[in-house]
Amino acid sequence: MASLRFPFLFSQPHKTPSSASSDATSRSFSTVAVALASGGSALAAGGAIIAITQSPKNPFLENAMNFLLSNFSPNKNHSSPLWGSVSLADNSAPVTESRTGMEFPSILKDTQRLLGIGLRKKSVFGLKNIDVYAYGVYADDVDVKKCLAEKHGRHSVSELQQKEELRNHLMENDIRMTVRLQIVYGRLSINSVRSAFEESVGSRLHKFGGYDNKELLQRFTSQFKDEIKLPRGSIIELSRDHDYILHTTIDGKEVGSIQSKLLCRSILDLYIGDESFDHKANEDVESNLASLLHK
């Protein structure tokens, strides 16, 4: 799914503008709508902005401008919800994953900022894709600047947004991070989660470790015990603390912690690595990480 690219950009829920209160206001709204719908260009949008900003102060016109610019942008996918810009430094409002409606806090644990949102899908017999869970990737802003600014800070935001190595350095360095999973599929069992991690994390442990890591994998997957229930909306957090300690939390309760740089790297690779579950999340992380380094 394509998105407009602004600093700290994520999808936002649809907001319907209020109705017109006068004939003059309605005429202004109609004129702008026709200009945008027929032109479909930056020039038409610019004309609409001028027309509205030169009108007397009117809340309806302001709402109309926001509505129209969102819906008639040249990059807008009209089959999906509106897109908006969220500056994590100034706005603590939740951010919505547009395909599932799952909301993610912009700031987690006081200092960790949301960098990207993705969706984990699973194919059933190659016939149907099921939305399993939405996920948000967070990183501590102080740690990011401390560990990455010296190497990458001299580059402009636009240059940084094209540097895929930013994600690799984010995963390799001792930066506090959290991947927050929010369950979408209401019939998901803990056994399915455990089996999925055995396969996906196991392959990454072998990829980065280069040898058999069955014991480390078993220590991680054994945290997902049979008695745990995962109804829709349940939250699993996989958090890397300093010294590469991975904390696993389910619905606010910590179920285990393991110190292993290899395990932390393998977990993060699932969500922002080159073969991640959702490449849109990778793009958002690169873009927002670049903006964060220049704040």
Side-chain angles (χ1 to χ4, degrees), residues 200-209 262 266 269-270 275-276:
S200 58
V201 177
S203 67
R204 264 67 172 190
L205 288 175
H206 185 269
K207 173 183 177 181
F208 298 116
L262 174 60
S266 298
D269 190 73
L270 297 177
E275 299 179 7
S276 67

Side-chain angles (χ1 to χ4, degrees), residues 182-253:
Q182 296 192 183
I183 306 302
V184 176
Y185 184 57
R187 299 173 63 184
L188 185 67
S189 69
I190 195 69
N191 182 61
S192 297
V193 172
R194 187 167 54 238
S195 297
F197 277 138
E198 285 175 352
E199 179 182 351
S200 58
V201 177
S203 67
R204 264 67 172 190
L205 288 175
H206 185 269
K207 173 183 177 181
F208 298 116
Y211 55 90
D212 189 353
N213 287 284
K214 289 183 179 179
E215 181 181 353
L216 179 58
L217 178 61
Q218 196 277 331
R219 286 176 61 197
F220 171 67
T221 57
S222 66
Q223 298 174 136
F224 301 91
K225 302 184 182 303
D226 290 339
E227 61 268 22
I228 297 173
K229 306 300 181 184
L230 294 173
R232 178 182 171 87
S234 296
I235 296 173
I236 300 174
E237 289 185 352
L238 306 170
S239 301
R240 180 178 66 183
D241 208 344
H242 285 157
D243 297 324
Y244 301 97
I245 298 175
L246 181 74
H247 299 278
T248 304
T249 303
I250 300 178
D251 287 334
K253 179 181 179 181

Side-chain angles (χ1 to χ4, degrees), residues 47-198:
I49 294 173
I50 295 172
I52 291 175
T53 53
Q54 288 183 346
S55 301
K57 188 69 174 178
N58 188 308
F60 170 76
L61 291 179
E62 293 178 356
N63 289 337
M65 179 183 71
N66 293 331
F67 173 79
L68 289 169
L69 291 183
S70 295
N71 275 280
F72 293 98
S73 166
N75 296 324
K76 178 75 175 86
N77 180 350
H78 294 284
S79 64
S80 62
L82 302 185
W83 291 87
S85 178
V86 177
S87 173
L88 301 184
D90 305 319
N91 192 335
S92 59
V95 179
T96 301
E97 199 292 312
S98 61
R99 294 162 289 185
T100 62
M102 288 291 174
E103 288 190 345
F104 290 82
S106 296
I107 300 176
L108 200 64
K109 302 178 182 179
D110 296 328
T111 59
Q112 293 190 22
R113 299 181 182 273
L114 183 60
L115 297 180
I117 296 176
L119 179 61
R120 171 69 161 115
K121 290 178 172 287
K122 183 67 175 178
S123 176
V124 179
F125 304 119
L127 300 175
K128 179 180 180 182
N129 283 327
I130 292 176
D131 295 340
V132 182
Y133 58 77
Y135 62 89
V137 179
Y138 296 78
D140 184 90
D141 54 355
V142 174
D143 288 350
V144 166
K145 293 175 182 178
K146 177 182 177 182
C147 295
L148 303 183
E150 182 176 352
K151 183 176 182 63
H152 299 286
R154 64 181 181 275
H155 299 286
S156 67
V157 171
S158 59
E159 289 173 332
L160 287 173
Q161 288 173 346
Q162 306 303 317
K163 293 170 69 68
E164 293 185 5
E165 65 177 357
L166 257 182
R167 285 184 287 111
N168 290 325
H169 291 164
L170 181 67
M171 291 186 281
E172 287 287 346
N173 280 274
D174 193 13
I175 296 171
R176 287 170 292 183
M177 294 185 64
T178 296
V179 180
R180 181 184 176 102
L181 318 181
Q182 296 192 183
I183 306 302
V184 176
Y185 184 57
R187 299 173 63 184
L188 185 67
S189 69
I190 195 69
N191 182 61
S192 297
V193 172
R194 187 167 54 238
S195 297
F197 277 138
E198 285 175 352

